[in-house]
Amino acid sequence: MPIPEPEPFDSLLSLEGRVAIVTGGTRGTGSAIVLRFVQAGASVVITARGPEDLNSIEAKVAAAGGKSLCLEADVGNVADCERVVTETWNKFGRIDVLVNNADVSPVSLSTETSEKVWEDTININLKGAFFLSKLAAQKMMEGGRGGRIINILSTEMIRPIGVLAAYGGAKAGLMAITQSMAKELGKYGIQVNAAIPGITMTEEKLEAHKAGNRQIDIPSEATKTLEFMKETSESGVLEHIVKNGMPMGRIGYPDDLAKAVLFLASGMASYISGTSLLVDGAQTLA
């Protein structure tokens, strides 16, 4: 078998003519991923649970000269996952990239985690990502062009802070799914990878901090968790971690993750599959 000619340099990061689905793509890291994909030439299907956020990102994509299809959907619901894939296929006739970015991260000590919190966390972070990957992979196989599936994980599964057991467990499960599907789908030209962001400061989080709101999702029944987080905040532990636990001297920004995801979706990553790329500024080594 002859060695193929290297892909031209100017096309290595191009997604021209490709169609990407980005879940939770209206704000924060999701929005950053969407806009990087648009810059690379992709048409992007964006999902979220709120119509107002979808209208906002749709306007940003249009202003950037891109094409988008915005769908209100709960990825924790398999019927919604099926609808997203079907509508994408009906409109564009192909699916080249899926980014499982949507997630929820309710803060709760394991001893206070309710069944509802557990199920909501698993449904969106793990179940939804799995079934969307399954459904997208079926269409990628049907199209015969291969494809990329990229799962967004978290450093919580590597160095847990102690109040996100359900979230960390879901992300660890998704890492296992990443590796299993990479092995299964490689023969169809489908590459499955993951990106693992560390602490990331989004515009929403920054505005919340300025307003004195820590923007932490704590279930109302988790009283001990609330007390624990209040004590941690008042003692300055969180600020200490951010200031002294980041070897590069700063926390991550949404575009740091977006650039890594673009790399995994592009020709630059043509022989990378089944891996998890840390995008944490060496945070997990601190």
Side-chain angles (χ1 to χ4, degrees), residues 67-183:
K67 296 179 181 179
S68 65
L69 171 63
C70 293
L71 300 173
E72 192 172 351
D74 176 1
V75 298
N77 183 303
V78 176
D80 275 14
C81 294
E82 292 172 342
R83 177 170 55 82
V84 168
V85 170
T86 298
E87 292 195 30
T88 301
W89 190 260
N90 289 344
K91 182 174 178 63
F92 296 106
R94 61 189 294 163
I95 297 173
D96 300 285
V97 182
L98 167 65
V99 181
N100 285 307
N101 171 74
D103 75 0
V104 292
S105 54
V107 176
S108 179
L109 295 166
S110 60
T111 51
E112 286 193 321
T113 299
S114 67
E115 184 177 11
K116 183 180 186 307
V117 167
W118 173 266
E119 289 182 346
D120 288 348
T121 305
I122 296 300
N123 283 349
I124 293 176
N125 296 341
L126 184 60
K127 185 179 105 175
F130 171 77
F131 279 98
L132 259 178
S133 297
K134 167 197 167 181
L135 295 162
Q138 289 172 339
K139 289 300 185 183
M140 290 173 182
M141 291 161 63
E142 183 179 336
R145 291 179 289 265
R148 308 287 175 91
I149 296 173
I150 303 164
N151 297 315
I152 307 302
L153 306 182
S154 170
T155 52
E156 179 62 24
M157 66 185 195
I158 302 171
R159 290 190 65 180
I161 63 174
V163 288
L164 290 166
Y167 178 72
K171 293 298 186 179
L174 189 53
M175 182 171 69
I177 288 171
T178 299
Q179 295 172 338
S180 181
M181 293 189 80
K183 193 167 185 178

Side-chain angles (χ1 to χ4, degrees), residues 191-240:
Q191 296 163 240
V192 188
N193 290 296
I196 310 175
I199 297 174
T200 304
M201 179 58 74
T202 65
E203 288 188 10
E204 293 80 14
K205 288 180 181 177
L206 185 60
E207 289 302 315
H209 275 262
K210 287 179 180 178
N213 174 13
R214 296 298 179 181
Q215 205 185 38
I216 297 174
D217 180 12
I218 302 176
S220 59
E221 69 276 8
T223 56
K224 292 182 180 179
T225 303
L226 182 60
E227 182 180 338
F228 171 79
M229 293 304 296
K230 184 178 179 181
E231 290 175 356
T232 300
S233 178
E234 290 177 349
S235 67
V237 172
L238 293 177
E239 286 75 8
H240 177 79

